[in-house]
Amino acid sequence: MHEFPIWQLGPLDIDISSFIAITVSVIITFVLAKLAVRNLSVDNPSKLQNFLEWVVDFVHNFISSTMPINRVKPFLTLGLTLIMFIFISNLLGLPFGVVMETHHAQESIGITEELLAKKGGHVEIAFWKSPTADLSVTAGLALIVFVIVHFLGLRLNTKHYLKHYFKPYPIFFPVNVIETISKPLTLALRLFANIFAGEVLIATILMLGWIGTPFLIAWQGFSLFVGGIQAFLFTILTMVYISQAAIHEEEH
Amino acid sequence: MELLAAALAVGLGAVGAGVGNGMIVSKTVEGIARQPELQGKLQTTMFIGVGIVEVVPIIGVVIGFLAFFQA
């Protein structure tokens, strides 16, 4: 199993591979968006512009399935950013890995003598992985969603939002609080566990050598599918939570 | 002992995920058979349902990995 290079900076543990991966993912997403809007044209769209128009349409459609269509517009960019960033992040760990082997202790990145002894004198350090295979990254995304949902609920829908903690009966208050805490928690854990398990399985299949090639092909295909589904699921659950907290005044 | 823990975590989680997903997809297929024009919406709802049901078994898999690689 690979270790990750962890850099101690005061009280913080900074995972260098996560930082590199997040930066690369951000740059790729931004460049993709920028390239697609160069030379915008209605009659003769480029392939990338066509593709991104399809993505915008897709996101708009599934947001409108959760909230009335005249309220969709402000949340379109949030949905687009989430789905593109998470999808590209999920795919980053699949094509290749960067592994450094060491037989000496490297204190600066957290490989101590005890770790070396526990692993039999030979430690492999992975410098590349999907950013979403790190619980800190997915927890950060879930925290953003949590803040957005409750801020919007308080701002746009104050009375109903505060009252819904006591529906249907006031005795349900602890259950509603647990529901409120469990939503971002499961959001973070779902994304992390899916992508992390996929990466561990890739490392395990690689240990088989060349016999594992058909398994690896099949598993890479499945990982692609899972990455897409998890990105879609994160985004649509965000929209459902936003519509539950901030929009449901119209149906009452 | 850790190997047994990992095996139990993954195995029981797999049973839960299999039964749950089977029920979701079978109801979706039934719904599509009754009203073929709703296939798009039903399929989308099915994927959302599968995502929600699979959270806890997948967390079980991660716990299994943790136990396995500590052994």
Side-chain angles (χ1 to χ4, degrees):
Chain A
M1 261 301 278
H2 306 301
E3 298 299 318
F4 296 115
I6 302 191
W7 196 26
Q8 307 267 16
L9 201 64
L12 300 172
D13 286 343
I14 298 186
D15 192 338
I16 299 180
S17 54
S18 277
F19 258 44
I20 298 177
I22 296 178
T23 314
V24 170
S25 176
V26 163
I27 291 177
I28 292 180
T29 318
F30 188 68
V31 164
L32 194 69
K34 267 300 186 183
L35 279 182
V37 299
R38 260 189 345 165
N39 306 330
L40 276 180
S41 126
V42 174
D43 302 313
N44 194 15
S46 65
K47 282 197 280 231
L48 203 50
Q49 178 187 339
N50 222 349
F51 171 67
L52 225 62
E53 282 182 6
W54 173 78
V55 175
V56 171
D57 201 32
F58 177 64
V59 174
H60 186 97
N61 275 339
F62 78 65
I63 300 181
S64 69
S65 73
T66 64
M67 56 179 83
I69 203 161
N70 54 339
R71 309 289 300 262
V72 168
K73 205 115 176 273
F75 305 114
L76 190 56
T77 6
L78 175 68
L80 257 179
T81 313
L82 278 177
I83 199 172
M84 277 176 63
F85 177 69
I86 298 177
F87 184 56
I88 291 177
S89 301
N90 293 347
L91 296 187
L92 271 189
L94 295 183
F96 59 87
V98 176
V99 178
M100 182 176 107
E101 296 182 356
T102 176
H103 297 270
H104 309 284
Q106 315 261 11
E107 293 286 335
S108 59
I109 49 177
I111 315 288
T112 58
E113 289 288 344
E114 304 108 49
L115 192 59
L116 213 57
K118 207 166 66 152
K119 298 271 180 166
H122 177 238
V123 169
E124 297 185 341
I125 312 172
F127 271 93
W128 178 263
K129 61 177 184 188
S130 294
T132 36
D134 192 349
L135 188 56
S136 332
V137 175
T138 54
L141 286 169
L143 192 65
I144 294 175
V145 168
F146 177 69
V147 167
I148 288 180
V149 167
H150 292 279
F151 177 71
L152 281 175
L154 279 173
R155 260 270 299 263
L156 296 181
N157 201 15
T158 319
K159 238 178 45 138
H160 279 253
Y161 169 75
L162 288 173
K163 265 170 61 175
H164 104 270
Y165 281 108
F166 299 99
K167 291 211 167 15
Y169 299 106
I171 196 95
F172 272 76
F173 182 65
V175 178
N176 284 326
V177 168
I178 295 180
E179 182 190 14
T180 313
I181 297 180
S182 79
K183 283 179 185 173
L185 199 66
T186 52
L187 222 45
L189 279 174
R190 182 187 296 120
L191 187 55
F192 162 65
N194 267 295
I195 309 300
F196 179 67
E199 294 220 327
V200 170
L201 225 67
I202 289 181
T204 310
I205 293 180
L206 282 178
M207 289 204 282
L208 288 177
W210 60 269
I211 307 180
T213 310
F215 297 121
L216 194 59
I217 295 176
W219 186 247
Q220 293 268 21
F222 188 65
S223 258
L224 206 70
F225 175 66
V226 165
I229 292 274
Q230 291 304 318
F232 167 70
L233 202 65
F234 194 99
T235 317
I236 196 167
L237 280 178
T238 305
M239 293 306 155
V240 168
Y241 298 157
I242 290 179
S243 91
Q244 276 177 348
I247 309 278
H248 63 77
E249 53 186 277
E250 327 236 332
E251 274 101 274
H252 282 335
Chain B
M1 225 26 187
E2 287 91 352
L3 297 179
L4 186 62
L8 269 178
V10 177
L12 292 176
V15 170
V19 170
N21 285 349
M23 287 171 66
I24 291 177
V25 180
S26 89
K27 289 293 178 185
T28 306
V29 168
E30 223 176 283
I32 295 179
R34 293 181 75 183
Q35 282 195 280
E37 64 265 13
L38 284 184
Q39 179 183 349
K41 264 197 98 121
L42 285 177
Q43 209 167 356
T44 309
T45 313
M46 175 190 91
F47 280 124
I48 298 174
V50 165
I52 295 185
V53 156
E54 291 227 342
V55 179
V56 181
I58 288 236
I59 294 177
V61 169
V62 173
I63 293 180
F65 279 140
L66 283 178
F68 183 69
F69 287 113
Q70 298 275 28

